[in-house]
Amino acid sequence: MSSPIISVRNLDKVYASGFHALRDVSLDIRRGEIFALLGPNGAGKTTLISIICGIVKASSGSVTVDGHDIVRDYRAARSTIGLVPQELSTDTFEKVFATLRFSRGLFGKAPDPAHIEKVLRELSLWDKRDSKIMTLSGGMKRRVLIAKALAHEPSILFLDEPTAGVDVELRHDMWRMVRRLRDEGATIILTTHYIEEAEEMADRIGVIAKGELVVVEDKATLMRKLGRKQLTLSLRERLAAVPAALADQPLELAQDGHALVYTFDTQTEETGIAALLKRLAEQGIDFKDLHSSESSLEEIFVGLVHGKPQEAAA
Amino acid sequence: MNLHAVKAIYRFEMARTFRTITQSIASPVLSTSLYFVVFGSAIGSRMGDVGGVSYGAFIIPGLIMLSLLNESISNASFGIYMPKWAGTIFELLSAPVSFVEVVLGYVGAAATKSVMLGVLILVTARFFVPYQIEHPFWMVCFLVLTAVTFSLFGFIIGLWADDFQKLQVIPLMVVTPLTFLGGAFYSINMLPPFWQHVTLFNPVVYLISGFRWSFYGISDVNVAVSALATLGFLALCLVAVWWIFRSGYKLRS
């Protein structure tokens, strides 16, 4: 496997206010992947991104970007990064084309109107190239921020809550763009509140809570490891309670006693379903239908953030 | 050195000037012209010469300095404060630039605007008052040096300020009084002896005196002292900006 494009080691951040935003975070981002960083508000997502990008100073620990230390060799490290911030911070009086030209120059790239045109066209902004940013809608401003981040052809793109407050169409446009950038070789790191976004986009997922990285895993592995399946049996006759003879089973009554829900671990070789069905028959409990469901990433996320992954699907 | 970044910042800031040309250029030229009309032509015609120079001509260097100081500070402080206020500073902080490129871009643009303004005022003055420039080379040197130094000072104010009031307080409450009391409208020799000594603690005295010397060959203090005082202040400002970027004070949390 190639060396990680971003390597974070034992990163700690305590703000002047005393708030401990990051605690001993270590993380490797693989070249060419889409990495989703999930976490509730104040978890440390933006602080982590801001340190890597050079906006916030770390209290301790180290970060390398493409082999370059972000402090000692900041020019080389930063020139590879594009950042789309969470806030819609734009030069409101500036025109769209001019603001991209500014961003490209700021990151040390020679003027290239053709590249800027390409970026603007891809983000459906070409018609707005001579418009002042203040005249654009919120969604358009979000596109401008993405275009600015892409103006200097970065190999790493940070998207901090990129689809917060944007409509469904723009969200799907962004997802398509992110996939295309990844296909072209870029590495994408996104933070999001939208679980479906991580589920849809990410190759790997990191969950951060209270400044600590709770888990980093391939999306599929994470769902397999921490995901629980549930088997729901629709009963022919209503039950008032789970029979005492089945009390040792992970069973719950649902639908006002018309259904039994059996929770099982996808990791074990034996799900216990066959044994359960046999015991139900022995107890004379008949069912007319059954279906299984898998816990969503959202349920896993909630479980992880609250420190009870085993209850994620319960 | 990231020259593309210097060019990008410089171009961005100059574009801002031309977008707000009424406020940046026309307004200070007009207000300074009013000084020429009132103090130069109207009142000045009834006043005696100062050091062998007509009063109208005598106040030209002081008035140029007055505008130069105010506009240098205002342009540079506003230039760096606005990205902080609007939140767009993240782009500058995450860019592969050192304080050298940032200062060259922002301060270079602010100083350029101030020099443009100084030249415009000088040209405008010709319509109201006749004057000569005995040392044109040194006049340009003082003009550029003062514009750069006070743009740098304004840049520091912009970095330090975290609201619009702080942005205005030093130019309005410190710089303008110092300029008015720094010999813009009079020679310090006109003051009582005690105040002559007190006024030597005003750094603006050295700027105006040196600049006036380049016009008429007369000065309140030695011209070398004026130049050294300005260079010393420039060095002090450079160290302050270097420290701010190195420590991240008010920039990087």
Side-chain angles (χ1 to χ4, degrees):
Chain A
M1 184 180 290
S2 62
S3 58
I5 194 160
I6 296 174
S7 182
V8 177
R9 288 289 169 272
N10 310 110
L11 206 59
D12 234 76
K13 175 63 187 177
V14 184
Y15 284 102
S17 63
F19 178 65
H20 207 148
L22 291 178
R23 298 169 188 269
D24 197 30
V25 170
S26 293
L27 170 69
D28 283 338
I29 305 291
R30 296 172 190 159
R31 205 172 290 272
E33 73 172 338
I34 298 177
F35 185 88
L37 195 58
L38 298 179
N41 287 333
K45 305 186 296 290
T46 300
T47 297
L48 178 57
I49 285 182
S50 298
I51 290 174
I52 297 171
C53 293
I55 298 167
V56 170
K57 294 170 84 170
S59 300
S60 63
S62 64
V63 180
T64 59
V65 176
D66 210 6
H68 306 288
D69 185 276
I70 60 162
V71 177
R72 284 193 304 275
D73 200 5
Y74 68 93
R75 286 183 193 274
R78 292 184 197 170
S79 61
T80 61
I81 294 176
L83 168 64
V84 182
Q86 191 174 337
E87 302 294 330
L88 280 177
S89 307
T90 53
D91 297 307
T92 52
F93 301 106
E94 194 60 91
K95 291 179 178 172
V96 171
F97 193 94
T99 198
L100 263 71
R101 189 176 53 203
F102 170 76
S103 297
R104 185 174 172 84
L106 197 60
F107 279 77
K109 286 288 178 79
D112 186 351
H115 175 71
I116 292 177
E117 180 179 343
K118 177 176 162 248
V119 171
L120 288 175
R121 284 192 186 281
E122 282 171 353
L123 286 157
S124 307
L125 283 169
W126 181 243
D127 292 342
K128 302 284 184 187
R129 63 189 178 280
D130 292 323
S131 301
K132 283 188 177 177
I133 296 173
M134 66 192 297
T135 65
L136 303 180
S137 66
M140 284 288 183
K141 285 177 184 165
R142 180 73 66 187
R143 287 173 198 256
V144 170
L145 284 173
I146 296 172
K148 277 169 75 69
L150 296 174
H152 65 281
E153 302 163 69
S155 54
I156 302 166
L157 182 65
F158 282 94
L159 298 158
D160 196 1
E161 305 279 355
T163 52
V166 304
D167 60 31
V168 175
E169 186 187 2
L170 178 53
R171 189 179 302 174
H172 285 272
D173 279 355
M174 285 190 189
W175 289 356
R176 274 194 294 275
M177 184 205 68
V178 167
R179 284 199 196 91
R180 185 184 51 71
L181 287 170
R182 193 265 308 272
D183 293 343
E184 289 172 4
T187 304
I188 318 282
I189 298 101
L190 64 94
T191 71
T192 182
H193 278 110
Y194 298 111
I195 307 294
E196 60 170 295
E197 195 160 72
E199 204 162 358
E200 174 82 22
M201 302 287 302
D203 300 313
R204 284 198 311 149
I205 290 171
V207 178
I208 191 166
K210 295 175 184 171
E212 290 182 70
L213 208 50
V214 182
V215 69
V216 176
E217 198 65 84
D218 285 339
K219 180 178 66 182
T221 310
L222 181 68
M223 294 191 71
R224 201 168 56 243
K225 269 189 183 175
L226 299 172
R228 296 292 180 101
K229 273 197 168 181
Q230 290 186 322
L231 180 71
T232 303
L233 301 155
S234 299
L235 303 176
R236 286 199 182 278
E237 290 177 20
R238 182 178 175 276
L239 286 176
V242 176
L246 296 171
D248 61 327
Q249 293 291 314
L251 280 170
E252 282 179 67
L253 271 180
Q255 296 170 23
D256 197 26
H258 291 286
L260 267 175
V261 178
Y262 174 71
T263 304
F264 59 97
D265 195 338
T266 55
Q267 292 292 290
T268 54
E269 284 186 20
E270 284 293 329
T271 61
I273 292 174
L276 174 71
L277 295 179
K278 191 175 170 187
R279 289 179 66 182
L280 285 173
E282 286 168 4
Q283 294 296 315
I285 299 171
D286 200 5
F287 57 90
K288 55 189 177 189
D289 192 18
L290 80 172
H291 75 269
S292 66
S293 61
E294 204 163 0
S295 52
S296 70
L297 189 55
E298 183 162 3
E299 289 166 324
I300 297 169
F301 171 70
V302 170
L304 283 169
V305 166
H306 290 91
K308 292 181 281 188
Q310 70 279 11
E311 293 176 12
Chain B
M1 171 82 76
N2 183 349
L3 288 176
H4 289 300
V6 177
K7 192 175 161 191
I9 297 169
Y10 185 87
R11 191 171 177 173
F12 179 87
E13 281 298 292
M14 291 308 289
R16 189 168 65 80
T17 303
F18 292 114
R19 270 203 309 270
T20 57
I21 196 150
T22 311
Q23 181 195 339
S24 305
I25 304 287
S27 171
V29 168
L30 177 68
S31 57
T32 312
S33 299
L34 292 174
Y35 279 115
F36 288 132
V37 172
V38 175
F39 293 102
S41 301
I43 297 175
S45 61
R46 293 166 184 255
M47 294 181 74
D49 290 355
V50 183
V53 180
S54 73
Y55 186 71
F58 178 82
I59 63 171
I60 289 173
L63 286 176
I64 292 174
M65 275 291 158
L66 179 68
S67 290
L68 204 65
L69 298 192
N70 279 327
E71 290 306 310
S72 296
I73 291 172
S74 168
N75 286 331
S77 60
F78 206 72
I80 191 65
Y81 178 74
M82 278 308 288
K84 283 172 56 180
W85 179 77
T88 54
I89 192 81
F90 81 87
E91 196 173 21
L92 192 67
L93 296 177
S94 63
V97 292
S98 73
F99 93 101
V100 176
E101 287 106 336
V102 176
V103 166
L104 282 174
Y106 279 104
V107 175
T112 304
K113 289 180 234 175
S114 299
V115 170
M116 281 165 50
L117 184 67
V119 171
L120 268 174
I121 292 172
L122 198 59
V123 171
T124 310
R126 182 60 85 182
F127 293 106
F128 302 100
V129 188
Y131 62 85
Q132 85 267 7
I133 302 171
E134 278 192 20
H135 308 287
F137 173 76
W138 291 111
M139 190 278 284
V140 172
C141 286
F142 269 109
L143 191 73
V144 173
L145 184 62
T146 308
V148 170
T149 304
F150 278 80
S151 294
L152 204 50
F153 183 55
F155 189 70
I156 294 167
I157 293 172
L159 288 171
W160 163 76
D162 43 29
D163 58 41
F164 279 98
Q165 185 167 290
K166 280 187 179 174
L167 198 65
Q168 295 292 335
V169 73
I170 290 181
L172 290 178
M173 303 296 283
V174 180
V175 176
T176 302
L178 286 180
T179 313
F180 271 85
L181 298 173
F185 295 99
Y186 55 82
S187 164
I188 63 171
N189 294 325
M190 295 172 168
L191 298 172
F194 172 75
W195 290 108
Q196 282 187 33
H197 289 296
V198 170
T199 210
L200 289 176
F201 289 97
N202 178 357
V204 180
V205 165
Y206 300 89
L207 299 171
I208 294 176
S209 174
F211 197 48
R212 187 172 284 135
W213 169 84
S214 70
F215 277 72
Y216 310 120
I218 56 169
S219 62
D220 289 327
V221 292
N222 187 298
V223 67
V225 175
S226 288
L228 283 173
T230 315
L231 284 169
F233 190 51
L234 174 68
L236 202 66
C237 290
L238 276 173
V239 170
V241 173
W242 169 81
W243 176 81
I244 287 171
F245 274 83
R246 185 178 168 80
S247 66
Y249 173 74
K250 298 245 182 178
L251 275 177
R252 288 188 168 90
S253 47

